[in-house]
Amino acid sequence: MRDLDTILAGKYPAKAHARRVTDYIRKSSPHAQGVIYVEGQKTRLIEDNDETVPFSGCALPDSHLTYDISADELTLFIPPIDPESVIWAGLPLSAEEALELYDVDHVKTTPEVNGALASAHSKTMVYAIAGQVSDHITFLEFDDTDFKLLKEAIEECRVVKDDFEIALTMKANEISTVAHTAVLKAVKHAMNERELEAIFLERCISNGAREQAYHSIVASGTAAATLHYVKNYEPLAGKLNLLLDAGGEYNCYASDITRCFPINGRFSKESRDIYDIVLQMQIVCINMLKEGVVWDDVHLEAHKVAIEGLLALGIFRGNKEDILRSRTSVAFFPHGLGHYLGMDTHDTGGHPNYEDEDTIFRYLRVRGTLPAGSIITVEPGLYFCRFIIEPYLKDPLHSAYIDTEVLDKYWNVGGVRIEDNMLITKDGSENLTTAIKEVDEMEKIINGS
């Protein structure tokens, strides 16, 4: 068991990350020297408002960072104190406070960046990201510049998480579980979706996750068939189920959790049929996880389980191999099985191919093998979206495998998705998500028993 509080009481391991990026660069350039240069996001004010636009996880806007490779020195540059800003927003993070929070060698102010670059131990090369260098920054002291490799290096290195990052993700999951449970307790007596979103947000903020990893999806009834539903205000009356896809963010690291449950406290037969298939899809896929597993294979297995389940219900008919080969299951499970998770909800390094001619893999956000230390979501789903399914019913290639008479019983289910955040290990995986998904336990909470 990890002691999250002890781990998170330490410094954010920025220097270890810089060294990992350097190691990646040296795969392409074994004798790489010089400086790595990156900038934080810029402060932008909301129009007609004195407030700043949220920084999407950037805790230090307007900051700069340099890593002198040969000297092994990491320097953070933070904005100097602006007296006028202090009047409105208070004192910013000080250099002393930054040194306590981040594992860096030096903390200076942003006007000192150019001087620090000019005094680097080696000026053979500066690595930076194209389009992310301020106009006043100069690299004239360096023999050469590389504006391509650093972005790739950072994105690839972000895939594997260290213990500190895992602890941050676990903390985000811990808080989000409290919020998910609060929605379960309230759903039976709520009037509309926005009430439930408000409860989720309140629980996250109260427990230390002020920012959300993404805009919550609070979809009731047939709206659950919309993958990234955004309304979150419709009434709940007369609806069967609620799909809640919501996750708080803790110190820049995301959680991403989806649960689906009956609004009245008891699944209908058809809803329970679909829920059980999706849960089985997730269980089978989670059992496949370990270092080196091919994510494409795991995703394909989810489709196989879905096909078997829909055949058992009579929604599908025919031979399961033929149905898989025809890709008819894409009508009901159109998205990828999951994505990397980290500082971004859809984190970097997945190498998707959205031009893939094979529809079953087109929206798969991660391709290839999973390394130990990566965190990935496992989020199978089945959806009854007329807009997506009806074209399949008009196509003889697919309609031969779909029994419309049986299908008609399931439209009101809307959609079911179950999503957990999984840490890949050498011999398996660790589930970082503890939000309840067992039907009996969910129904007990909803009914207050």
Side-chain angles (χ1 to χ4, degrees):
M1 286 289 293
R2 296 178 182 83
D3 184 340
L4 299 188
D5 291 337
T6 299
I7 294 172
L8 297 178
K11 297 181 180 182
Y12 183 82
K15 193 164 185 178
H17 294 174
R19 287 170 175 163
R20 280 166 50 193
V21 169
T22 300
D23 290 341
Y24 186 93
I25 289 172
R26 283 180 169 162
K27 291 178 182 178
S28 300
S29 181
H31 304 292
Q33 295 296 332
V35 173
I36 292 172
Y37 173 84
V38 294
E39 294 186 3
Q41 293 189 38
K42 305 301 181 187
T43 298
R44 293 182 295 119
L45 293 180
I46 300 173
E47 186 176 1
D48 298 324
N49 194 319
D50 288 333
E51 293 295 317
T52 57
V53 174
F55 300 118
S56 303
C58 179
L60 289 172
D62 304 315
S63 61
H64 304 242
L65 192 74
T66 63
Y67 180 59
D68 192 320
I69 295 173
S70 60
D72 188 31
E73 289 186 356
L74 187 65
T75 304
L76 174 65
F77 299 86
I78 60 177
I81 293 175
D82 176 5
E84 291 191 5
S85 177
V86 172
I87 295 173
W88 302 102
L91 286 167
L93 186 76
S94 69
E96 293 75 20
E97 290 168 330
L99 282 168
E100 289 296 317
L101 290 174
Y102 306 105
D103 182 20
V104 297
D105 296 296
H106 313 287
V107 178
K108 300 181 180 181
T109 59
T110 50
E112 300 175 85
V113 174
N114 280 329
L117 289 170
S119 61
H121 285 72
S122 172
K123 301 183 181 67
T124 56
M125 178 74 74
V126 60
Y127 298 91
I129 299 174
Q132 296 184 30
V133 179
S134 297
D135 292 342
H136 70 280
I137 298 299
T138 177
F139 299 144
L140 293 177
E141 298 284 343
F142 289 85
D143 297 337
D144 203 355
T145 54
D146 186 320
F147 290 104
K148 182 178 180 181
L149 186 55
L150 180 59
K151 184 175 187 291
E152 174 189 321
I154 291 173
E155 290 182 348
E156 294 301 317
C157 288
R158 278 172 57 173
V159 172
V160 175
K161 308 298 192 290
D162 53 40
D163 286 343
F164 199 93
E165 294 176 291
I166 293 167
L168 288 170
T169 307
M170 292 180 72
K171 186 70 173 179
N173 267 270
E174 185 180 277
I175 294 169
S176 298
T177 292
V178 172
H180 270 269
T181 304
V183 174
L184 274 175
K185 292 178 179 178
V187 67
K188 190 171 183 178
H189 304 289
M191 299 297 293
N192 52 58
E193 296 163 350
R194 64 173 175 265
E195 287 183 40
L196 300 176
E197 182 177 24
I199 289 169
F200 188 90
L201 293 172
E202 186 276 329
R203 287 290 81 200
C204 283
I205 294 170
S206 295
N207 286 278
R210 183 181 178 187
E211 307 298 335
Q212 293 295 289
Y214 52 96
H215 187 281
S216 298
I217 299 166
V218 189
S220 59
T222 57
T226 302
L227 301 185
H228 286 175
Y229 176 74
V230 297
K231 287 184 178 180
N232 291 4
Y233 57 69
E234 294 290 352
L236 303 180
K239 313 282 184 64
L240 290 178
N241 309 311
L242 186 91
L243 187 150
L244 177 63
D245 185 339
E249 176 183 289
Y250 187 77
N251 286 3
C252 302
Y253 280 76
S255 62
D256 188 357
I257 304 169
T258 307
R259 294 293 183 261
C260 187
F261 39 88
I263 292 171
N264 70 359
R266 195 75 60 198
F267 271 130
S268 68
K269 177 190 178 301
E270 290 78 14
S271 297
R272 181 64 186 265
D273 287 344
I274 301 305
Y275 189 92
D276 286 347
I277 295 172
V278 174
L279 184 60
Q280 183 64 17
M281 290 164 71
Q282 194 196 45
I283 290 169
V284 169
C285 291
I286 287 175
N287 287 339
M288 294 176 68
L289 299 181
K290 64 178 180 179
E291 179 183 24
V293 71
V294 178
W295 187 241
D296 308 55
D297 294 343
V298 184
H299 174 72
L300 191 63
E301 191 64 29
H303 273 270
K304 292 178 180 179
V305 175
I307 289 168
E308 291 178 356
L310 294 176
L311 276 169
L313 294 181
I315 294 175
F316 279 168
R317 59 192 176 195
N319 179 274
K320 62 182 180 181
E321 285 82 12
D322 292 338
I323 297 171
L324 179 64
R325 193 178 302 112
S326 71
R327 300 317 199 214
T328 304
S329 57
V330 174
F332 298 87
F333 179 26
H335 61 78
L337 180 62
H339 50 82
Y340 285 137
L341 185 71
M343 284 187 279
D344 285 322
T345 305
H346 298 151
D347 213 14
T348 60
H351 304 288
N353 176 16
Y354 299 128
E355 303 301 321
D356 198 323
E357 293 185 2
D358 190 337
T359 57
I360 213 166
F361 296 113
R362 185 172 296 159
Y363 297 113
L364 192 58
R365 296 182 188 271
V366 176
R367 306 297 292 266
T369 59
L370 304 183
S374 60
I375 298 176
I376 196 163
T377 66
V378 179
E379 49 179 304
L382 289 174
Y383 309 88
F384 296 85
C385 177
R386 291 183 182 274
F387 184 82
I388 295 176
I389 294 174
E390 285 179 350
Y392 282 75
L393 300 179
K394 297 174 183 177
D395 184 338
L397 173 65
H398 300 292
S399 62
Y401 302 116
I402 302 173
D403 189 320
T404 55
E405 186 174 338
V406 179
L407 173 62
D408 284 343
K409 301 176 184 178
Y410 287 86
W411 290 115
N412 285 337
V413 173
V416 173
R417 180 167 65 253
I418 306 172
E419 177 180 17
D420 291 353
N421 307 160
M422 306 301 302
L423 171 66
I424 304 302
T425 63
K426 180 176 177 56
D427 300 312
S429 65
E430 178 182 348
N431 196 332
L432 307 183
T433 303
T434 56
I436 292 168
K437 59 186 174 184
E438 293 74 20
V439 172
D440 290 347
E441 292 302 311
M442 289 194 302
E443 291 183 346
K444 283 181 183 178
I445 292 173
I446 295 169
N447 291 302
S449 58

